[in-house]
């Protein structure tokens, strides 16, 4: 039992580190570009996974897998979202949907593959086989050719020596000056306090309610498949929605995910639970695939890296806190029913908060657009006054010349 507990902590540490590192990754991406960060991150992840395959006790896994491998994954993951905005604008939603759908494909297939590999090769050799995937990421990172200039190019020039920019440019907290981004960056973590509870505790809930008579793996399969479908569908739909109104798709996704979470305890038939998971996966894909397009709309292409990094860093808090609270409720009450009912509340509240973003953003744009207009109007008034003065002084001169 203690071994399983330690293994769970290693896995939790790994997931938490992926998101905790995101703000740091965004800074390095701005400084050194997407290509270098992705390649180095994949190399670190490869090293961490390879070292994990040689340890004989679980304690070293805290470092090799929980920290080293997770940090490498974080450094390899975020540039893959940022680089898309360098090449795509009109079809950015569709592109993000296609890219993120790949993770759903592996979510569905990898557990079955891992089970076969572990049964036939053992754990350590399975980790070495997985190193092949990290090597593919390492090679793929070399294809990232940024189009937009980075902080390195701005400060030192493309051919000049690298100089660190000022601290304010390294940590670009100016994105928080954008009110619509602030609402988005804090509204999404508020919604995520209950978002991941079904993903963590659904299998245990099924065992408590139905015993071992039903194939609970089917639920994960349904979640993964419809999540991939949702990313493709809603990524394409987002391209037809102008500006920050894309946020309404996330509002809808939070609403349905919260509603589906509350419906889980009401499902006394396994078929009904399958239907709930199908809808939950569909709108989970909607939420994930449009994160990057919304960030581009709120802060612009130059600041999008750190905008995504700060958001992912804030997301790590509810991801870490929410599921354990649901577990404590189950221990005290003996059932997951109350935990699932409460898990549906934060997505509903977070969705309501996010619904104000398009109105706030448009109002801010209107306010900013009036400033240059006023300055231009004043300048034109001064030009007109100077023309009138010059005309007034030229007239007597012409009269005097005509008089002579």
């Amino acid at each position: 039992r203690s071994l399983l507990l330690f293994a769970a902590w290693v896995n939790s540490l790994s997931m938490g580190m992926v998101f905790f590192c995101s703000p740091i990754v965004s800074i390095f991406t701005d400084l050194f570009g997407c290509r270098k960060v992705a390649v180095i991150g994949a190399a670190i992840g490869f090293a961490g996974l390879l070292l994990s395959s040689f340890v004989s006790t679980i304690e070293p896994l805290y470092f090799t897998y929980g920290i080293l491998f997770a940090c490498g994954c974080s450094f390899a993951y975020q540039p893959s979202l940022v680089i898309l905005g360098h090449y795509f604008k009109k079809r950015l939603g569709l592109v993000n949907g296609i890219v993120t759908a790949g993770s759903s494909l592996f979510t569905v297939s990898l557990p079955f593959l891992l089970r076969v590999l572990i049964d036939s090769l053992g754990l350590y050799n399975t980790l070495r086989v997985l190193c092949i995937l990290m090597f593919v990421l390492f090679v793929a990172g070399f294809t990232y050719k940024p189009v937009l200039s980075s902080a390195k190019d701005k400060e030192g020039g493309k051919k000049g020596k690298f100089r660190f920019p000022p601290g304010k440019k390294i940590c670009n907290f100016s994105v928080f000056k954008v009110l619509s981004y602030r609402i988005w960056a804090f509204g999404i973590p508020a919604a995520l306090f209950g978002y991941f509870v079904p993903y963590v505790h659904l299998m245990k809930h099924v065992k408590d309610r139905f015993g071992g008579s039903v194939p609970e793996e089917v639920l994960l399969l349904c979640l993964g498949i419809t999540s991939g479908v949702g990313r493709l569908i809603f990524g394409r739909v987002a391209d037809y929605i102008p500006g920050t109104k894309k946020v309404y798709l996330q509002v809808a996704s939070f609403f349905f995910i919260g509603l589906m979470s509350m419906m889980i305890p009401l499902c006394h038939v396994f078929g009904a639970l399958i239907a709930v998971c199908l809808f939950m996966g569909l709108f989970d894909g909607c939420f994930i695939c449009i994160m990057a397009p919304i960030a581009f709309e709120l802060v612009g292409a130059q600041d999008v890296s750190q905008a995504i990094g700060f958001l992912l860093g804030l997301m790590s808090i509810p991801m870490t806190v929410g599921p354990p609270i649901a577990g404590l409720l189950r221990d005290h009450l003996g059932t997951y029913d109350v935990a699932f009912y409460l898990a549906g509340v934060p997505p509903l509240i977070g969705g309501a908060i996010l619904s104000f973003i398009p109105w706030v953003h448009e109002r801010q744009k209107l306010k900013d657009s009036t400033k240059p207009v006023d300055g231009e109007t004043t300048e034109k008034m001064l030009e007109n006054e100077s023309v009138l003065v010059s005309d007034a002084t030229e007239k007597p001169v012409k009269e005097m010349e005509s008089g002579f």
Side-chain angles (χ1 to χ4, degrees), residues 202 223 256 259-264 267 270-282:
L202 183 59
L223 285 170
F256 281 101
L259 187 62
M260 292 300 106
S261 296
M262 292 179 173
M263 290 184 66
I264 289 175
C267 296
F270 188 68
L273 205 55
I274 290 177
V276 166
C277 289
L278 289 173
F279 277 102
M280 185 175 290
L282 188 68

Side-chain angles (χ1 to χ4, degrees), residues 68-86:
L68 199 62
F69 171 68
C71 289
C73 289
S74 183
F75 273 74
Y77 168 69
Q78 194 169 320
S80 69
L81 297 179
V82 176
I83 194 65
L84 298 177
H86 289 246

Side-chain angles (χ1 to χ4, degrees), residues 50-64:
L50 187 62
L51 289 173
S52 299
S53 68
F54 289 101
V55 300
S56 56
T57 58
I58 199 167
E59 286 79 8
L61 286 176
Y62 283 106
F63 174 73
T64 59

